[in-house]
Amino acid sequence: MGKDVIIACDFASAEELFGFLEKFGEKRPYLKIGMELYFKEGQSLVKKLKEKGFKIFLDLKMHDIPNTVRKASKIIGALGVDMTNVHASGGKRMMEEALLGLKEGASEAGLEPPILIAVTQLTSTDERMMNNELLIEKKMEDVVKHYAELAKEAGLAGVVCSPLEAPMVDNMYLLSVTPGIRLLGDSVDDQKRISTPEGARKMGSTYIVVGRSITAADDPVYAYDKCILEFCL
Ligand code: C5P
């Protein structure tokens, strides 16, 4: 599995996103499109980006009954994205149906299905909240490991996790997609468990997701190249 840097495109509109991408000239970085941009701009934005040659991680974090997730996944499978995700807390059957839906949609469109990964626990959920509010009275590490095992049993390729959890995920022969990345000297913002791109490489992340360290940099292309140099080479 090729290592890569994925830019989290947390922009309010397609116009803002294309203004940002202009700076990259002929470069075609891997992009993460999340709910905000997708709900605003829909499939047409994704298709436009694919036509221009960008790889897309469609970060919609699906979580619903298995039948609904299968039908929704079929639509995403036909869209031609490279990666997408579901919540592991939806259960093994839901993840299996998501995988089937993606394969059906892709096959009908004559495409390869996207890589499917699972969200284990959101980084906004800490152990206390998980224990007291969600009533999952376990250690965070054990819950992440259990959800990663469920994802593996369902046939998924990997999980979204903190770079600090990447070694455990690597040991399970799953790929890891890790947000919470900052270049040295950058603001930590609201992230808690962070790493540099170099640290993530050493911990065995497969993909790093980098938002503000690139999108809010004075020179985003320089910051992106620095991430590639530290993480991929
Ligand atoms: O700007 P920053 O690098 O913090 O952005 C990280 C991106 O990764 C955001 O799009 C955020 O929603 C996403 N993400 C995360 N933690 C997760 C899952 C996704 O930070 N567990």
Side-chain angles (χ1 to χ4, degrees):
M1 191 66 61
K3 288 190 162 259
D4 213 340
V5 173
I6 303 178
I7 304 178
C9 296
D10 296 320
F11 296 104
S13 67
E15 200 186 344
E16 266 185 47
L17 171 63
F18 284 114
F20 169 76
L21 291 176
E22 244 173 48
K23 302 184 171 88
F24 286 79
E26 295 302 305
K27 280 191 180 157
R28 291 292 179 263
Y30 206 136
L31 308 177
K32 179 172 90 70
I33 304 295
M35 278 188 265
E36 184 186 2
L37 207 44
Y38 188 72
F39 289 161
K40 177 140 202 312
E41 307 288 353
Q43 291 210 343
S44 72
L45 170 65
V46 174
K47 286 182 183 157
K48 232 181 260 170
L49 291 168
K50 285 306 297 176
E51 274 163 23
K52 288 178 184 287
F54 291 96
K55 287 187 120 184
I56 308 288
F57 167 21
L58 193 57
D59 180 20
L60 298 182
K61 300 190 180 73
M62 287 186 286
H63 187 174
D64 209 317
I65 59 170
N67 184 52
T68 300
V69 169
R70 180 170 183 159
K71 287 183 184 159
S73 297
K74 192 170 167 189
I75 295 169
I76 294 177
L79 190 53
V81 296
D82 301 276
M83 190 188 299
T84 190
N85 57 3
V86 289
H87 272 283
S89 54
K92 202 161 101 182
R93 167 94 199 286
M94 187 204 77
M95 290 191 271
E96 286 167 350
E97 294 293 318
L99 206 52
L100 283 173
L102 289 176
K103 284 183 185 159
E104 281 167 4
S107 134
E108 281 178 19
L111 298 165
E112 281 295 311
I115 294 173
L116 181 62
I117 57 173
V119 177
T120 51
Q121 279 294 335
L122 293 171
T123 42
S124 52
T125 307
D126 59 20
E127 194 166 287
R128 216 175 123 205
M129 175 187 161
M130 194 177 70
N131 295 164
N132 300 338
E133 208 174 306
L134 306 180
L135 296 185
I136 303 173
E137 287 163 7
K138 305 265 184 205
K139 288 205 164 309
M140 177 62 80
E141 200 188 317
D142 295 339
V143 175
V144 169
K145 186 155 189 271
H146 177 62
Y147 281 11
E149 275 162 3
L150 281 185
K152 192 177 162 81
E153 285 169 22
L156 271 62
V159 296
V160 184
C161 61
S162 146
L164 309 180
E165 287 148 7
M168 174 186 82
V169 171
D170 194 38
N171 279 337
M172 297 169 72
Y173 301 102
L174 284 168
L175 63 81
S176 55
V177 178
T178 62
I181 305 291
R182 289 291 178 271
L183 286 163
L184 272 187
D186 280 354
S187 159
V188 168
D189 303 303
D190 48 357
Q191 293 285 14
K192 288 188 180 128
R193 306 178 66 206
I194 59 162
S195 161
T196 59
E198 187 185 6
R201 170 168 57 77
K202 288 183 178 156
M203 285 183 278
S205 295
T206 322
Y207 295 93
I208 52 171
V209 175
V210 190
R212 286 160 288 185
S213 264
I214 294 176
T215 56
D218 291 335
D219 185 343
V221 182
Y222 178 79
Y224 171 73
D225 288 342
K226 201 160 183 315
C227 289
I228 291 275
L229 263 177
E230 274 192 34
F231 182 65
C232 300
L233 306 179

